[in-house]
Each structure stands twice: as C-alpha cells, then as structure tokens.
Amino acid sequence: MISRRAMVAGGVLALAGSGSLARAGRAAEKSFLPQGLPEGVYDTATREALPGKRPLIKLSYRPPNYETPLSYFTSEITPNESFFVRYHLAGIPEEIDAAQWKLKIGGEAAGKQLELGLAELRSDFDAVELAAVCQCSGNRRGFSEPHVAGVEWGHGAVGNAIWQGVRLKDVLGRAELRPETVEIVVNGADGPVLDGTPDFVKSIPIDKALDDNTLIAYAMNGAPLPHYNGFPIRLIVPGWTATYWMKHLNSIEARTTPFAGYWMKSAYRIPTGKFPIVQHFVSQMTAANEPITEIVVNSMITAPAEGHLMQVEETAEIRGLAWDGGYGIHGVEISTDGGATWREAELGKDAGRFAFRGFRFPFTPSRVGQYRVMAKASNALGQTQAAKQIFNPAGYNNNVARPVTINVV
Amino acid sequence: MWRILIGPAALFFAVGAQAQEDIALKAGTGRDVVEGYCAACHSLDYPRTNAPFLDRQGWEIEVNKMITAYGAPIGPADAKTIVDYLVANYGSGK
C-alpha cells in the first residue's frame, strides 16, 4: 500500500484515504473550489499534481481532467505547469518519443498522401507564434442552473499561452487538396479503452483550416508542449473552443463530405441560433443544433479571492482576465454593488485579439458592509457577457458574470 | 529563441506512474456491478461529481449513453442494477 501511494504525484492530502485527520484536511482544503458547483464536487475533487504540473483541481483521474485553480491566474500568460488538462478517453499515450513521431497527411480529398516528422515540420515550414486562449467548451459547466451531466468544471478549464509552430495551411499546401474539400479531419494518439467506443476525432471547416492563425504547435510559452497538453504537437484553432485543438496530433485528412463521427454529429453541439455566433460550422449544422465554434466573450475576477476581508478606506485592486472568440476585448466594466451600477476598468496590454486581456480596478469602499463585485467584458463586435445563462443540455458557453464577495469591516 | 529551448532532453516524455485512483462509492445494492462496469473506462469520480442532481430519467440517459454511444457491453438487467444504484446513492431523490 505504501509503495502504491508513494507513486502519487500529489500532496499528502491526496494520499489519505481514511482517518479523521485526512477528513479534516480535506474539508479545509476545499477553499480552492468556487461556490455553485454540484455538491458531489466538494466531496470528491482534490488538489493533485500530474507529472510536470503544479497541483491542479482533480475532477477525474481517468481520463485525467484537472482544472487550474483561480488563484493561479496571476498573469495574462498561463504557465505550462498551471495549464488545465482535459481528455475524453482513458487510452492516453504514456510514452512519446518525439524523434519517432509521424504526422500523416492525406485523405480522399488530397492529391498527395505524405508523412512528416517533427524535424521536417520545424525545418520545412515558416515558424510562427501566436498568443491564444484555449478554453474547454464545457468550462463553467459546473455552474449551470440546473446542473447538467459532464465534467463539472469551475472557472479553470481555460488558459492563454503563446503557441509556436507552423501554419496548418502551409502543411496542407503539400497535400494538393482538391477544390471540393469541405472539411479537414484531425486525430491524435489518445484513444478509447473499448473497441466499441468512438475514438476522439474532430473536423474543422476548410476555411478555418486555411486561416493564417490555425497552427500545428510544437511549443507552448517557449517550451515543448507538456505531455498532458498534447506533446509533441497539437492543433491550435484560435477563437474556437478547445474541442478542435487536437492533442498528440498524428493524422490530418481532407474530405469532400462532412465527417460523421460521434464527436461531431452527437457531441459538442449547441442549439442552433441561441448564441451570438459569427462563424458557424455550416457543413455540420442542422435546424436543431450545430457544433460549438467560437468562444463567447467572457471574463473572470482573479483577485481578490472570494470572501476577501478589508477595511473602510483601504484600497483593493480588483484584477481579472477577459477574452472572446478573436474579435478583441473592447472594454471591461466592474460593478461593486451586485450589478446595479458599472464603471470601466483599466485594460492591460493588448497581446493580440485571441489572447487574455488583463484588467484592473481600484476599489476603496467608504462604508462597512458586504460587496458583490462583478466584471463584464465586451468585445469589438459589441457583444457582452450574458446577463442570464442561456441554458443548453451540455452546459456550454456559460459566460454569466459570477460575483465575488468582499467583506468590508 | 524557442528553438534553443527545445533541447534533446525534452524530446522524450514518459508519464511514468499515473495518479492513484482511490475513489470509494457509497455502500449499497449494486455497487459491485457499478464498479465492475463503469470503472473499466473511467474513474469513479465521474458519478460522484455528477451528484446529486440527476433524477431517475437523468441517470437512465447517462447509463444508456454509455451503452449506445460508448459501446459499454452492459445487458438490460445489469443496466437496471446500475441505474437503481445511482438513483439511490447519487440521485436527486426525485
């Protein structure tokens, strides 16, 4: 038992399976979770570190789903060791030798079938880099009212990194695509446990695949991709949710017909017409529903923490991050009275339209009391965060402002 | 600059030991059936975190999805045992 426990990468609290000390420790430890999640998350979630990661919030071991605690978002760039981890299927590669990695490019819509190693990717194509937010479609699912089934994410299934790699369109240029190509299908090295489980395979429309900003990344924030973020290469689809950002990318296929796999036709879909989406995935749409595509405009307050205690006439800096689907953050408003009145926050440096945009607002309360602080971002299209949750069965696109309580004594 | 940072040492990655799964489900009729089938593909923190908000129909939909969409080889009798267990122990009580 000791040796098995010794293998755990997490802290002491994660190891303790029983005993009053462990229970007391766990209860105290749960302050890392935001309010509003299903009760079962408070009973079950732990803080644990995967290899190469800081302790994150473990929502499931297998497949590994770990989110970034709100307190880790201290800058516009999310460090690699803090970045969230999300897998669909438990068959994830344990050992990857980058020198042996092959990316296959072809499909029925390709005139040429080819295979590239990492060395060729680096040497044969222009290197580009781009800051972009990677956000799980289900980020904040745990706050859905009513609650819905799935990984019960809080705030932290999102991060912003500087991705380095090559343009997908440059790589596709080698494959001599037929003009009738409608979709590009991407697959990675992770897979199912059972033969009957559909492999996690996704497609993107050809116009998104040929977008200058869509990349095959081999580095993140100046270092190799962490294993749990897709080592050695992953797809980067800026502005769109992370379901398309295939990890451990090993196959790209061009098609003249829409891809009908489970993860396109049945999963990751939103009700048609309910969200303010500009870029639709037209070849995958039906009258009832459509694939999730763009990240809706959103923000989070990263400091002070929930329940912050301060004194009258003291100043607290309200800080946070805002982002959207690639139109660019235009402004962030702060309310300190639960949404009754709003004032403009100061925006941080513009690191590009796909990146996190920091904001700050000095708050100097003149009276004792409890304050409900909220942030509301808007983008260059004039879109802003939803005042009321747009309910959908999978809990996607939840961008309702969540108040942080500050107690002034 | 990043080219320099990607040294040969970083080109091989082995995960090594996976984190331990120490997830206990509540004692109850059918727990062994739930553990036997569900834990084949995912850790048991899934049902624990998806609680207690699903009613009987909600748990039926989830179990049925595992069978029809994910190919779990669960027969009707065991599926009912699993649903009954989840409703009794991780259900909304409705």
Side-chain angles (χ1 to χ4, degrees):
Chain A
M1 196 63 186
I2 297 295
S3 61
R4 190 162 67 99
R5 287 183 170 181
M7 297 196 304
V8 180
V12 169
L13 288 168
L15 304 182
S18 60
S20 58
L21 190 67
R23 273 192 292 275
R26 278 183 179 175
E29 186 78 344
K30 294 304 162 86
S31 61
F32 60 78
L33 291 172
Q35 295 172 15
L37 301 171
E39 282 171 43
V41 178
Y42 302 98
D43 294 337
T44 308
T46 49
R47 264 173 76 134
E48 296 189 36
L50 288 164
K53 293 283 181 181
R54 293 176 72 186
L56 303 177
I57 300 171
K58 187 279 301 174
L59 293 168
S60 71
Y61 285 115
R62 182 171 52 92
N65 286 296
Y66 291 65
E67 73 171 82
T68 308
L70 204 46
S71 62
Y72 288 11
F73 290 101
T74 52
S75 74
E76 285 87 346
I77 297 294
T78 313
N80 293 4
E81 62 272 20
S82 302
F83 221 90
F84 77 100
V85 173
R86 197 276 183 267
Y87 282 88
H88 304 82
L89 304 171
I92 71 170
E94 289 206 355
E95 286 190 355
I96 289 171
D97 182 356
Q100 302 299 317
W101 195 262
K102 294 286 181 222
L103 172 62
K104 287 185 177 157
I105 302 128
E108 44 95 10
K112 256 175 75 179
Q113 317 284 316
L114 59 141
E115 209 173 66
L116 294 172
L118 289 190
E120 290 160 296
L121 266 185
R122 288 201 187 88
S123 63
D124 293 9
F125 303 93
D126 289 343
V128 289
E129 71 171 34
L130 176 89
V133 168
C134 175
Q135 179 181 244
C136 172
S137 308
N139 193 31
R140 305 192 186 187
R141 172 184 292 123
F143 302 132
S144 177
E145 293 177 9
H147 288 304
V148 294
V151 178
E152 300 296 341
W153 300 109
H155 295 283
V158 62
N160 177 49
I162 299 170
W163 309 95
Q164 290 105 357
V166 300
R167 291 186 186 92
L168 176 60
K169 79 166 187 186
D170 291 348
V171 173
L172 289 174
R174 288 247 185 125
E176 298 172 4
L177 300 192
R178 286 163 54 186
E180 312 90 274
T181 304
V182 293
E183 293 183 11
I184 300 296
V185 177
V186 288
N187 196 2
D190 51 327
V193 175
L194 301 175
D195 291 344
T197 305
D199 189 12
F200 183 67
V201 183
K202 297 292 291 188
S203 66
I204 56 173
I206 183 64
D207 54 343
K208 196 69 180 170
L210 298 180
D211 188 305
D212 272 352
N213 298 303
T214 301
L215 310 181
I216 298 170
Y218 42 73
M220 174 176 173
N221 294 328
L225 295 171
H227 182 82
Y228 289 100
N229 297 110
F231 184 84
I233 48 173
R234 81 177 299 173
L235 198 67
I236 305 299
V237 189
W240 285 26
T241 64
T243 184
Y244 300 103
W245 298 41
M246 184 61 67
K247 297 186 292 296
H248 314 294
L249 180 69
N250 61 10
S251 167
I252 296 174
E253 290 191 356
R255 295 178 59 98
T256 57
T257 56
F259 174 59
Y262 169 78
W263 298 98
M264 292 307 305
K265 288 292 178 198
S266 301
Y268 285 105
R269 298 187 72 94
I270 55 175
T272 297
K274 261 198 169 183
F275 291 97
I277 299 299
V278 177
Q279 295 181 12
H280 297 271
F281 196 155
V282 176
S283 55
Q284 294 279 348
M285 286 178 82
T286 70
N289 54 54
E290 61 179 312
I292 190 170
T293 51
E294 291 173 333
I295 297 169
V296 293
V297 61
N298 215 335
S299 67
M300 58 182 164
I301 293 172
T302 55
E306 172 64 29
H308 180 71
L309 207 59
M310 61 185 288
Q311 295 184 332
V312 171
E313 301 302 340
E314 192 186 336
T315 297
E317 187 172 73
I318 295 162
R319 291 193 301 274
L321 300 165
W323 64 98
D324 77 331
Y327 301 98
I329 291 299
H330 188 74
V332 175
E333 291 174 287
I334 300 289
S335 173
T336 56
D337 52 15
T341 60
W342 297 88
R343 287 173 63 195
E344 284 289 332
E346 182 194 336
L347 294 183
K349 185 170 73 76
D350 183 354
R353 60 193 175 98
F354 298 109
F356 273 157
R357 187 86 188 256
F359 62 86
R360 56 180 59 198
F361 181 88
F363 174 50
T364 313
S366 54
R367 285 195 316 272
V368 165
Q370 190 173 73
Y371 293 79
R372 281 161 59 82
V373 179
M374 298 163 76
K376 186 172 67 179
S378 55
N379 69 4
L381 297 182
Q383 297 171 332
T384 189
Q385 292 177 239
K388 193 173 174 302
Q389 179 196 345
I390 300 172
F391 181 82
N392 62 103
Y396 296 141
N397 288 350
N398 190 338
N399 65 344
V400 177
R402 296 197 62 81
V404 172
T405 303
I406 293 181
N407 295 303
V408 179
V409 293
Chain B
M1 185 187 76
W2 45 267
R3 277 174 195 267
I4 297 160
L5 289 170
I6 304 170
L11 293 178
F12 185 84
F13 189 96
V15 171
Q18 294 288 318
Q20 170 186 342
E21 284 180 34
D22 195 5
I23 307 289
L25 292 182
K26 290 180 196 169
T29 307
R31 180 172 72 173
D32 53 337
V33 180
V34 171
E35 288 171 346
Y37 282 112
C38 307
C41 293
H42 61 80
S43 47
L44 296 172
D45 31 24
Y46 274 84
R48 280 185 45 156
T49 53
N50 277 263
F53 56 87
L54 294 173
D55 59 11
R56 175 167 289 275
Q57 192 194 7
W59 276 121
E60 278 171 355
I61 288 169
E62 290 309 306
V63 172
N64 204 38
K65 183 167 80 179
M66 297 304 153
I67 297 167
T68 57
Y70 293 87
I74 307 173
D78 284 340
K80 185 177 183 310
T81 302
I82 292 170
V83 169
D84 287 348
Y85 171 85
L86 293 169
V87 169
N89 293 286
Y90 295 97
S92 62
K94 287 176 205 153

Short mmCIF file of all heavy atoms in Angstrom, two decimals, chain A residues 15 19 49 62 76 90 104 109 112 230 271 339 357 362 370:
data_model
loop_
_atom_site.label_atom_id
_atom_site.label_comp_id
_atom_site.label_asym_id
_atom_site.label_seq_id
_atom_site.Cartn_x
_atom_site.Cartn_y
_atom_site.Cartn_z
N LEU A 15 -3.31 11.58 -0.70
CA LEU A 15 -2.99 10.20 -0.40
C LEU A 15 -3.91 9.61 0.66
O LEU A 15 -4.14 8.42 0.71
CB LEU A 15 -1.55 10.08 0.11
CG LEU A 15 -0.46 10.63 -0.79
CD1 LEU A 15 0.89 10.39 -0.15
CD2 LEU A 15 -0.52 9.98 -2.16
N GLY A 19 -9.42 8.20 7.83
CA GLY A 19 -8.85 8.78 9.05
C GLY A 19 -9.37 10.18 9.27
O GLY A 19 -9.60 10.93 8.33
N ALA A 49 -1.11 16.92 -8.35
CA ALA A 49 -0.22 17.27 -9.45
C ALA A 49 0.01 16.07 -10.36
O ALA A 49 0.40 15.00 -9.89
CB ALA A 49 1.11 17.77 -8.91
N ARG A 62 -9.25 9.43 -14.48
CA ARG A 62 -9.12 8.60 -15.67
C ARG A 62 -10.42 8.66 -16.47
O ARG A 62 -11.42 8.16 -15.99
CB ARG A 62 -8.84 7.16 -15.23
CG ARG A 62 -8.62 6.14 -16.33
CD ARG A 62 -8.13 4.82 -15.74
NE ARG A 62 -9.01 4.37 -14.67
CZ ARG A 62 -10.04 3.55 -14.86
NH1 ARG A 62 -10.29 3.06 -16.04
NH2 ARG A 62 -10.82 3.20 -13.85
N GLU A 76 -1.31 37.36 -17.62
CA GLU A 76 -2.04 37.13 -18.87
C GLU A 76 -1.61 35.83 -19.53
O GLU A 76 -2.35 35.26 -20.32
CB GLU A 76 -1.82 38.29 -19.84
CG GLU A 76 -2.61 39.55 -19.49
CD GLU A 76 -1.89 40.47 -18.52
OE1 GLU A 76 -0.89 40.04 -17.89
OE2 GLU A 76 -2.33 41.62 -18.37
N ALA A 90 -9.80 7.28 -21.84
CA ALA A 90 -8.72 6.94 -20.90
C ALA A 90 -7.49 6.33 -21.57
O ALA A 90 -6.47 6.14 -20.90
CB ALA A 90 -9.25 6.00 -19.83
N LYS A 104 0.62 12.02 -40.31
CA LYS A 104 0.15 11.61 -41.63
C LYS A 104 -0.80 12.66 -42.18
O LYS A 104 -1.69 13.12 -41.48
CB LYS A 104 -0.58 10.27 -41.55
CG LYS A 104 0.33 9.09 -41.34
CD LYS A 104 -0.45 7.79 -41.40
CE LYS A 104 0.53 6.63 -41.25
NZ LYS A 104 -0.09 5.41 -40.78
N ALA A 109 -9.65 13.66 -50.24
CA ALA A 109 -9.63 14.93 -50.96
C ALA A 109 -8.22 15.45 -51.20
O ALA A 109 -8.03 16.57 -51.69
CB ALA A 109 -10.45 15.97 -50.20
N LYS A 112 -2.08 14.14 -52.76
CA LYS A 112 -0.85 13.50 -52.30
C LYS A 112 -1.00 13.07 -50.85
O LYS A 112 -1.55 13.80 -50.03
CB LYS A 112 0.32 14.49 -52.40
CG LYS A 112 1.24 14.24 -53.57
CD LYS A 112 2.30 15.32 -53.69
CE LYS A 112 3.41 15.21 -52.65
NZ LYS A 112 4.42 16.29 -52.86
N GLY A 230 -0.71 17.81 -24.97
CA GLY A 230 -0.67 17.38 -26.36
C GLY A 230 0.68 17.07 -26.95
O GLY A 230 0.79 16.91 -28.17
N PRO A 271 -27.64 24.40 -29.31
CA PRO A 271 -28.89 24.66 -30.05
C PRO A 271 -28.65 25.73 -31.12
O PRO A 271 -28.04 26.76 -30.84
CB PRO A 271 -29.85 25.17 -28.97
CG PRO A 271 -29.25 24.77 -27.67
CD PRO A 271 -27.76 24.71 -27.88
N GLY A 339 -24.16 44.37 -9.63
CA GLY A 339 -24.65 44.56 -10.99
C GLY A 339 -25.59 45.75 -11.16
O GLY A 339 -26.11 45.97 -12.26
N ARG A 357 -6.87 39.35 -21.99
CA ARG A 357 -6.62 40.77 -21.76
C ARG A 357 -6.82 41.04 -20.28
O ARG A 357 -7.91 40.79 -19.75
CB ARG A 357 -7.62 41.59 -22.60
CG ARG A 357 -7.37 43.09 -22.60
CD ARG A 357 -6.37 43.46 -23.67
NE ARG A 357 -5.96 44.85 -23.59
CZ ARG A 357 -6.40 45.80 -24.41
NH1 ARG A 357 -7.28 45.52 -25.35
NH2 ARG A 357 -5.95 47.04 -24.30
N PRO A 362 -9.37 49.89 -9.09
CA PRO A 362 -9.14 50.13 -7.66
C PRO A 362 -10.47 50.30 -6.93
O PRO A 362 -11.33 51.07 -7.37
CB PRO A 362 -8.33 51.43 -7.64
CG PRO A 362 -8.69 52.13 -8.92
CD PRO A 362 -9.12 51.09 -9.90
N GLN A 370 -21.07 44.24 3.01
CA GLN A 370 -20.71 43.15 2.09
C GLN A 370 -20.94 43.64 0.66
O GLN A 370 -22.00 44.15 0.34
CB GLN A 370 -21.58 41.93 2.39
CG GLN A 370 -21.11 40.69 1.66
CD GLN A 370 -21.88 39.45 2.10
OE1 GLN A 370 -23.04 39.27 1.75
NE2 GLN A 370 -21.23 38.59 2.85
#
